[in-house]
Amino acid sequence: MNARPLVTGLGVVAPNGLGLEEYWAATLAGRSAIGRITRFDPTDYPSRLAGEISGFDAREHLPSRLLPQTDRMTQLALVGADWSLTDAGIDAAELPDYAAGVITASHSGGFEFGQNELKALWSKGGRYVSAYQSFAWFYAVNSGQISIRHGLRGPSSVVVSDQAGGLDALAQARRQIRKGTSVVVAGAVDASICSWGWVAQLAGGRLATGDDAARAYLPFDEDARGHVPGEGGALLVVEDAEHARARGAQNVYGVLAGHAATMDPRPGSGRAPGIERAVEEALRDAGIGPDEVDVVFADAAAIPELDRAEAEAITKTFGPHGVPVTAPKTMTGRLYSGAAPLDVAAALLSIRDGIIPPTVGSSPNDRYDIDLVIGAPRPAPVRTALVLARGQGGFNSALVVRAADS
Amino acid sequence: MPTTSPFTLDDLRRILREAAGEEEGVDLTGDIIDTDFTALGYESLALLETGGRIEREYDISLDDSALTDVVTPRGLIDIVNAQLAAAQSV
């Protein structure tokens, strides 16, 4: 149990940047990718905005053999995993069998692929349904395809806990490193901006409506009224510190230092939401006090009651205005499982560069006593970051990442 | 009656590409008629998808075993042409 899980590779596929440095430059510049949906005609839907990835052509990145059998989210995940391993300087073929695994989270599987096959079934008949539908829609398919592509046959799995899953997958990677696995490609990519995926999201009742991209997703703002969905995420290389040292890893972004996951109590029970306990337990797991945390990357639901619960959890632990809080996901929309791994990537880059990326659009409501970083990035020495994520259905997750020499 | 086979290696090449893409390092345009599908990079699911596309394009029905037992392009082409001939003689 002494193995230290380092992050040694980052692969980012985000609406405001394809690739790590492109994403980071856009995020520090406050460049939002939220706009009117182009992947289908949103005219007749109450919610018409999304954070789409534009300019991604899977054919430029992946062999043709993989294209007919993969949903968009899998194509993005495969590219994210490629970039992450390249960033880590790892050639998976050189690792021993079973030394490396893949652990991803998934919110809804390959929705667009499934939609196309359902269309084929009902408009043309069963013989027009792709044989690849058998797995292309499946929650675990990103883990499976990344594993096959790179021959990663170590411990592999998928976590499904909505947006919290992105952190839960990294926590599971941390467990596997501690049990003796050398390398885990971990994180998540979700992408279901298709009309079928959209109606499923609308049914959840948490999507912002209207056409004003600048005023649609406003966590902690007086006008918070739901979120804008996006697509994308990040894949991280999580690696045993000893393994990273022995091979002379070129990048060491930080260490996965602490984690906790909690469930909310039954609605109407009167008991406190679980996010507060997730924060406390994650700090305890990391063995640090609140004063050692330099920034919080918020879940930022933009539903007033959820914003309040998160703000209260932060002020209870850190005090009023006691720690900088940010939500760069205001530039991408909520990426479901992909959101938290992307936030973890941003947190690690904050540690690297000593700068906290801004929250765009929101003006924090006075009733929340949080120090929200707005308008411009804030230079600050960052050694330790806390990343929060919540999933619909009561999932809460909190992860502490720290500089590797802390 | 046409004297050439109605389903050719070129037809199969086209449908394989549409159904399952092309393995890196494999040249489908080469002399592949007696090369095992596995050596061409196509596993059972790729052949199932290929068979499905042949069935709907040529309006024939292939046994599941025809697709799971077949080993080479020549084997599959023969089965498809036998089905087409049977359909024509009805």
Side-chain angles (χ1 to χ4, degrees), chain A residues 335-358:
Chain A
L335 308 184
Y336 302 98
S337 297
L342 186 63
D343 276 345
V344 170
L348 292 166
L349 294 175
S350 291
I351 291 171
R352 184 188 73 180
D353 294 348
I355 191 161
I356 299 169

Side-chain angles (χ1 to χ4, degrees), chain A residues 63-65 68 127-128 130-132 134-135, chain B residues 19-20 22 41 43 45-46 49 56 59-60:
Chain A
S64 70
R65 194 70 184 75
R127 61 176 13 186
Y128 286 84
S130 167
Y132 293 115
S134 55
F135 60 68
Chain B
E22 209 168 340
E43 82 300 313
L45 202 55
E49 175 64 11
R56 65 205 199 210
D59 198 23
I60 56 172

Side-chain angles (χ1 to χ4, degrees), chain A residues 215-231:
Chain A
R215 297 291 300 163
Y217 176 33
L218 301 170
F220 305 112
D221 190 288
E222 176 72 34
D223 293 334
R225 53 192 167 84
H227 69 261
V228 172
E231 59 181 357

Side-chain angles (χ1 to χ4, degrees), chain B residues 47-77:
Chain B
L47 293 180
L48 196 63
E49 175 64 11
T50 300
R53 284 171 183 260
I54 294 170
E55 285 183 324
R56 65 205 199 210
E57 185 169 324
Y58 290 86
D59 198 23
I60 56 172
S61 184
L62 301 171
D63 289 343
D64 281 354
S65 62
L67 294 167
T68 48
D69 296 344
V70 76
V71 175
T72 62
R74 187 190 298 280
L76 182 52
I77 290 166

Side-chain angles (χ1 to χ4, degrees), chain A residues 60-152:
Chain A
E60 291 174 9
H61 303 285
L62 298 172
S64 70
R65 194 70 184 75
L66 284 171
L67 301 180
Q69 57 178 284
T70 42
D71 183 82
R72 177 174 172 84
M73 63 134 196
T74 303
Q75 294 169 358
L76 289 164
L78 283 164
V79 171
D82 284 1
W83 288 346
S84 187
L85 286 164
T86 301
D87 187 45
I90 289 178
D91 179 356
E94 291 172 1
L95 298 173
D97 258 0
Y98 310 108
V102 187
I103 299 170
T104 64
S106 180
H107 164 262
S108 50
F111 241 81
E112 189 171 30
F113 196 103
Q115 171 172 344
N116 289 336
E117 299 317 308
L118 278 174
K119 267 188 189 162
L121 174 65
W122 292 110
S123 64
K124 297 188 212 160
R127 61 176 13 186
Y128 286 84
V129 176
S130 167
Y132 293 115
Q133 170 66 4
S134 55
F135 60 68
W137 72 275
F138 191 50
Y139 298 104
V141 74
N142 289 357
S143 287
Q145 289 284 20
I146 294 167
S147 164
I148 292 167
R149 178 159 167 79
H150 296 285
L152 308 175

Side-chain angles (χ1 to χ4, degrees), chain A residues 114-354:
Chain A
Q115 171 172 344
N116 289 336
E117 299 317 308
L118 278 174
K119 267 188 189 162
L121 174 65
W122 292 110
S123 64
K124 297 188 212 160
R127 61 176 13 186
Y128 286 84
V129 176
S130 167
Y132 293 115
Q133 170 66 4
S134 55
F135 60 68
W137 72 275
F138 191 50
Y139 298 104
V141 74
N142 289 357
S143 287
Q145 289 284 20
I146 294 167
S147 164
I148 292 167
R149 178 159 167 79
H150 296 285
L152 308 175
R153 299 164 72 198
S156 298
S157 55
V158 63
V159 184
V160 180
S161 44
D162 190 14
Q163 189 132 331
L167 292 184
D168 296 338
L170 298 179
Q172 179 65 7
R174 179 171 173 250
R175 284 182 205 105
Q176 294 298 353
I177 296 292
R178 288 173 152 193
K179 285 183 187 171
T181 300
S182 299
V183 172
V184 181
V185 175
V189 171
D190 268 312
S192 55
I193 303 176
C194 57
S195 54
W196 187 33
W198 205 247
V199 292
Q201 292 303 324
L202 285 167
R206 290 182 174 182
L207 298 199
T209 54
D211 295 298
D212 184 355
R215 297 291 300 163
Y217 176 33
L218 301 170
F220 305 112
D221 190 288
E222 176 72 34
D223 293 334
R225 53 192 167 84
H227 69 261
V228 172
E231 59 181 357
L235 275 305
L236 284 60
V237 171
V238 183
E239 184 172 5
D240 169 32
E242 184 49 38
H243 190 268
R245 192 198 56 76
R247 72 177 181 87
Q250 61 204 27
N251 292 313
V252 177
Y253 293 100
V255 57
L256 303 183
H259 172 261
T262 64
M263 287 299 295
D264 283 335
R266 174 178 55 80
S269 73
R271 287 180 284 139
I275 183 70
E276 188 179 309
R277 200 158 46 85
V279 170
E280 290 167 5
E281 293 297 327
L283 296 185
R284 194 192 320 271
D285 188 40
I288 60 171
D291 56 321
E292 291 181 80
V293 174
D294 300 307
V295 61
V296 176
F297 284 74
D299 173 63
I303 303 285
E305 123 194 26
L306 292 170
D307 284 352
R308 189 182 321 119
E310 185 169 36
E312 285 176 4
I314 291 168
T315 51
K316 177 130 192 262
T317 302
F318 300 97
H321 301 270
V323 66
V325 177
T326 192
K329 58 169 71 77
T330 45
M331 294 173 242
T332 63
R334 285 173 73 82
L335 308 184
Y336 302 98
S337 297
L342 186 63
D343 276 345
V344 170
L348 292 166
L349 294 175
S350 291
I351 291 171
R352 184 188 73 180
D353 294 348

